[in-house]
Amino acid sequence: MAQESTSIAVVAGGGSGIGRGCALKLGSMGYKVILVGRTQAKLEAVAAEIEASGGQGQSFVADVRDWDRLAQLGALVADEGIDLLINSAGGQFAQASAELSHHGWQSVVDLNLSGSFFLCRHLYPALRKRRGAAVMVVANLWQKPAPALAHSAAARAGVVNLTRTLALEWAKDGIRINAVAPGLTDTAALLERYRQLVDQVPLGRIGTVDEVVEVILFLARSSYITGEVLSIDGGLRLV
């Protein structure tokens, strides 16, 4: 009897926060996890955690803004294919729009929007090979005004539209693409000024990484959902 192939996941931004949480969970589920990020030491630390729990972890150092480097990632996995892409690579900083520089704008848009497309574009053949799924992680500020975060809000809204567009284009290949929109989540990247917004959250608390991971994996295995965006924000979007 032929041996079943190992499920393979690529997790961008896998060295910390939500990406790390996804990587550890997938490793415990038997996936081979390819961790993508800019800091080799962080990736290797997470890969070691996965290995220590009996899973398979592999590091691939790359900036998601680097088209050529991601082309190398695509070539690496093209023959075997992948079952899942999770893109949690992203970042932002607060800056009043009237003071935002060209470099500041471009760096955030490139990281969040261009990086998302570059990943999907170069991993498309690998996703098609296994009729895989992708989940994009966007902040919940994509759907309403976000003072001091115009660059990030615009980029995240772009990722949502990209998600829906690719979901429609690639459905014929059996590829599903969805997104999650976390609100205040307890990670090192959550700035102190935003922690103070917890009083505005209807459920009265900050979310956990595990709660976000649970929804990401729900979308990853939901075979009849594509082009969807699920908010994980304790109701903050309703305020």
Side-chain angles (χ1 to χ4, degrees):
M1 180 179 295
Q3 186 176 3
E4 287 189 16
S5 61
T6 301
S7 295
I8 300 174
V10 172
V11 181
S16 61
I18 292 169
R20 173 181 174 273
C22 289
L24 294 176
K25 182 64 175 180
L26 289 167
S28 72
M29 294 167 60
Y31 277 76
K32 175 183 176 182
V33 183
I34 301 173
L35 300 152
V36 179
R38 289 180 287 181
T39 307
Q40 184 170 357
K42 288 183 178 180
L43 299 180
E44 290 179 349
V46 177
E49 288 184 83
I50 294 172
E51 298 279 350
S53 64
Q56 300 179 64
Q58 177 181 342
S59 299
F60 187 91
V61 178
D63 186 324
V64 296
R65 294 170 289 193
D66 188 335
W67 173 274
D68 293 334
R69 181 59 173 158
L70 292 186
Q72 294 173 355
L73 174 62
L76 178 69
V77 297
D79 288 342
E80 201 169 9
I82 64 172
D83 300 278
L84 178 61
L85 164 64
I86 296 173
N87 179 25
S88 66
Q92 61 196 21
F93 60 91
Q95 182 85 66
S97 298
E99 301 170 1
L100 189 59
S101 69
H102 175 265
H103 174 74
W105 170 273
Q106 201 66 54
S107 64
V108 170
V109 171
D110 283 348
L111 179 59
N112 293 286
L113 179 55
S114 298
S116 295
F117 175 69
F118 293 175
L119 276 166
C120 290
R121 171 65 179 82
H122 287 301
L123 293 177
Y124 164 72
L127 286 166
R128 181 179 58 186
K129 190 175 188 71
R130 295 198 178 199
R131 300 176 71 84
V135 182
M136 306 290 110
V137 180
V138 302
N140 73 333
L141 47 76
W142 69 272
Q143 56 190 333
K144 60 183 181 181
L149 289 171
H151 48 348
S152 183
R156 311 294 186 154
V159 175
V160 169
N161 197 291
L162 174 67
T163 296
R164 291 170 170 163
T165 298
L166 295 183
L168 187 57
E169 283 192 27
W170 294 353
K172 67 182 186 302
D173 299 307
I175 299 172
R176 295 179 301 101
I177 304 181
N178 293 290
V180 297
L184 300 176
T185 307
D186 192 14
T187 70
L190 182 61
L191 300 178
E192 191 60 38
R193 64 179 292 182
Y194 298 121
R195 289 181 181 274
Q196 298 171 6
L197 297 176
V198 67
D199 290 341
Q200 299 181 30
V201 179
L203 290 183
R205 64 177 177 84
I206 292 174
T208 68
V209 168
D210 285 345
E211 287 171 320
V212 178
V213 170
E214 183 178 347
V215 179
I216 291 172
L217 296 184
F218 163 75
L219 288 173
R221 59 178 173 257
S222 296
S223 57
Y224 204 55
I225 298 177
T226 195
E228 190 57 76
V229 184
L230 294 185
S231 296
I232 317 162
D233 64 357
L236 184 59
R237 72 195 179 283
L238 304 175
V239 177

